[in-house]
């Protein structure tokens, strides 16, 4: 229970930072992720982009996805939210920095949200047990519409399909790493 409370505090803190930056420091969007740019301004976006949003409407849309998927991620791997948030966010940012469209600026938490989606959906592949399967099925039923956002032909104009795709894949990696960690913990306790 202690781990759940700690994780929800992290999730609320990160969402609070997003809202605080949007309300009070919106011009920081210039620090978004700039693919291929190797100077400080280009690289800082790998870490900053999930917290920056183009406008309040963008952040409201991401909040709607962040709250339930972050909650599922917490319930699926108690005590691991902070680690999973950063694995997903940094891997997503690094992949977009390497393979994103040069000259573009990527901001928003949607890559991380797609990472939570990938984590919740694909963890069941790595840990075939009833709770993981239930979580994966529920995640699919509720959030299957996110799949189109990972395609360059289906994503809306101006939407970072690269961030969505690499977020999803980063979530799968985080899910795999979490399954290894859980297996090791079970072996130690037996």
């Amino acid at each position: 229970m202690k781990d759940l409370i700690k994780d929800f505090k992290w999730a609320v803190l990160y969402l609070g930072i997003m809202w605080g930056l949007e309300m009070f420091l919106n011009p920081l969007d210039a620090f978004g992720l700039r693919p291929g740019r190797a100077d400080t301004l280009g690289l800082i976006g790998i870490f900053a982009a999930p917290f920056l949003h183009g406008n309040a409407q963008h952040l409201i849309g991401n909040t709607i996805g962040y709250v339930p998927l972050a909650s599922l991620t917490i319930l699926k791997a108690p005590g691991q939210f902070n680690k999973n948030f950063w694995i997903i966010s940094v891997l997503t940012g690094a992949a977009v920095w390497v393979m994103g469209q040069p000259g573009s600026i990527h901001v928003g938490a949607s890559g991380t949200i797609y990472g939570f989606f990938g984590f919740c959906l694909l963890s069941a592949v790595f840990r075939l047990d009833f709770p993981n399967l239930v979580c994966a099925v529920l995640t699919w039923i509720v959030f299957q519409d996110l799949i189109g956002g990972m395609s360059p032909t289906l994503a809306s104009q101006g939407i970072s399909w690269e961030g969505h795709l690499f977020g999803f894949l980063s979530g799968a990696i985080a899910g795999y790493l979490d399954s290894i960690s859980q297996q090791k913990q079970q072996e130690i306790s037996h």
Side-chain angles (χ1 to χ4, degrees):
M1 187 63 153
K2 218 173 172 180
D3 285 340
L4 288 174
I5 293 169
K6 180 182 76 171
D7 284 349
F8 277 108
K9 285 180 181 180
W10 278 116
V12 169
L13 174 67
Y14 293 148
L15 188 60
I17 290 170
M18 292 175 206
W19 275 101
L21 290 173
E22 180 60 36
M23 291 171 44
F24 303 112
L25 296 170
N26 191 271
L28 287 179
D29 289 352
F31 292 99
L33 180 57
R34 297 168 183 257
R37 190 165 166 181
D39 60 1
T40 304
L41 187 58
L43 295 172
I44 198 167
I46 292 172
F47 303 95
F51 298 100
L52 306 172
H53 289 78
N55 55 43
Q57 184 178 0
H58 183 201
L59 181 52
I60 289 167
N62 277 346
T63 300
I64 291 168
Y66 178 89
V67 170
L69 284 167
S71 298
L72 281 171
T73 300
I74 290 167
L75 293 172
K76 196 157 177 26
Q80 303 300 312
F81 180 78
N82 193 38
K83 178 182 81 174
N84 288 326
F85 178 93
W86 286 108
I87 288 171
I88 291 167
S89 296
V90 172
L91 287 178
T92 300
V96 171
W97 185 83
V98 170
M99 295 190 239
Q101 182 180 5
S104 61
I105 299 177
H106 298 254
V107 294
S110 60
T112 303
I113 293 164
Y114 271 78
F116 295 156
F117 177 56
F119 180 87
C120 292
L121 195 60
L122 296 175
S123 290
V125 173
F126 307 122
R127 285 185 55 90
L128 291 173
D129 57 26
F130 187 72
N132 278 304
L133 292 173
V134 169
C135 183
V137 169
L138 289 174
T139 300
W140 177 254
I141 289 169
V142 176
F143 296 103
Q144 63 184 298
D145 290 345
L146 293 178
I147 296 295
M150 294 186 276
S151 164
T153 57
L154 297 177
S156 301
Q157 182 73 17
I159 301 295
S160 174
W161 68 268
E162 302 101 321
H164 297 171
L165 176 61
F166 293 129
F168 183 82
L169 296 173
S170 297
I173 291 168
Y176 176 72
L177 295 173
D178 184 68
S179 71
I180 291 171
S181 173
Q182 286 185 24
Q183 286 173 340
K184 285 181 181 177
Q185 287 176 352
Q186 285 180 345
E187 288 170 7
I188 291 170
S189 66
H190 287 0

